[in-house]
Amino acid sequence: EAGVVQSPRYKIIEKKQPVAFWCNPISGHNTLYWYRQNLGQGPELLIRYENEEAVDDSQLPKDRFSAERLKGVDSTLKIQPAELGDSAVYLCASSLESGTGPEAFFGQGTRLTVV
Amino acid sequence: TQLLEQSPQFLSIQEGENLTVYCNSSSVFSSLQWYRQEPGEGPVLLVTVVTGGEVKKLKRLTFQFGDARKDSSLHITAAQPGDTGLYLCASTDNDYKLSFGAGTTVTVRA
């Protein structure tokens, strides 16, 4: 079974430019997460979807970040315009609910460098 | 949002030594997970603990959940270079929000 697929793996852009990341979750996983991770730190949640509904976007900087999950499957995360401080790894994860809570499967991430 | 504190932040040991990393919170965990993340990869789930006092073993890794469900530890016996990575604990709240600690970076020298 294929895991969570993210693209691109790496992206270098100039500040003020737009950028988009794509995520294909594991088939049948209703929950999808976008996290941002700085070097040597734990992932920080940006947004969580249940099917196509964003149920938690409280940590998403909505002035420049947007996300969508059409048809409750693939998802895209966009930044416009990018700032130097947005440089980080952007991780997508998906999960099924279990009796003990979500067990998340992560993609390899997209490493964004803003110059 | 539950605040998770992990310690130590960094740990460097020689191959064959043992190590323990910790995860603590001021509030009770409904469940707690441990992940390992290697450079350039996403975190990979190692274990989920749910019951206070629970102990789970995964080969040379032993996971303990505190009786009060506010703390957890991960012990690695006879560490190997392949154990090198960022060890993350994560918890969920009643709303299924999955939150991570800052992690412990473990380096095992050959």
Side-chain angles (χ1 to χ4, degrees):
Chain A
E1 179 181 324
V4 176
V5 179
Q6 290 187 246
S7 67
R9 285 294 312 275
Y10 305 93
K11 190 73 177 179
I12 301 174
I13 62 171
E14 294 183 343
K15 61 182 181 182
K16 301 184 181 180
Q17 294 301 305
V19 64
F21 314 125
W22 176 80
C23 174
N24 179 235
I26 293 174
S27 177
H29 282 196
N30 298 327
T31 305
L32 184 145
Y33 309 80
W34 282 103
Y35 286 88
R36 177 169 59 189
Q37 185 177 29
N38 293 309
L39 188 64
Q41 297 295 312
E44 297 176 338
L45 181 68
L46 292 173
I47 189 167
R48 175 169 65 96
Y49 283 92
E50 293 292 341
N51 298 304
E52 62 272 8
E53 181 183 0
V55 296
D56 185 354
D57 63 357
S58 57
Q59 308 281 9
L60 190 71
K62 297 181 184 63
D63 56 335
R64 298 183 300 107
F65 286 64
S66 64
E68 62 181 8
R69 190 184 184 195
L70 299 177
K71 301 181 181 179
V73 182
D74 294 0
S75 178
T76 56
L77 178 68
K78 298 178 181 178
I79 308 175
Q80 182 172 10
E83 297 178 351
L84 295 176
D86 296 331
S87 295
V89 175
Y90 290 83
L91 292 164
C92 177
S94 68
S95 72
L96 275 174
E97 298 304 326
S98 71
T100 56
E103 297 184 347
F105 294 83
F106 283 82
Q108 291 181 298
T110 296
R111 180 176 295 279
L112 173 67
T113 302
V114 182
V115 297
Chain B
T1 301
Q2 192 158 29
L3 185 62
L4 302 175
E5 296 182 352
Q6 291 193 244
S7 62
Q9 186 176 359
F10 300 97
L11 192 56
S12 179
I13 61 170
Q14 200 70 31
E15 182 178 5
E17 295 180 338
N18 302 332
L19 69 95
T20 303
V21 298
Y22 301 91
C23 177
N24 297 282
S25 173
S26 58
S27 51
V28 174
F29 297 119
S30 56
S31 67
L32 186 126
Q33 300 172 340
W34 285 95
Y35 290 78
R36 179 171 65 207
Q37 185 177 22
E38 297 182 9
E41 302 293 328
V44 175
L45 179 65
L46 296 174
V47 76
T48 300
V49 288
V50 179
T51 306
E54 184 176 5
V55 177
K56 283 191 174 180
K57 292 191 175 183
L58 184 65
K59 298 183 179 178
R60 294 176 293 99
L61 278 60
T62 301
F63 304 86
Q64 287 192 304
F65 202 17
D67 291 340
R69 293 163 52 213
K70 290 185 176 183
D71 59 276
S72 180
S73 64
L74 160 57
H75 181 80
I76 302 179
T77 303
Q80 300 176 359
D83 296 324
T84 292
L86 178 65
Y87 288 82
L88 297 158
C89 65
S91 69
T92 56
D93 58 20
N94 293 331
D95 197 29
Y96 290 102
K97 178 176 179 177
L98 186 61
S99 300
F100 287 82
T104 295
T105 299
V106 172
T107 303
V108 182
R109 305 184 304 274

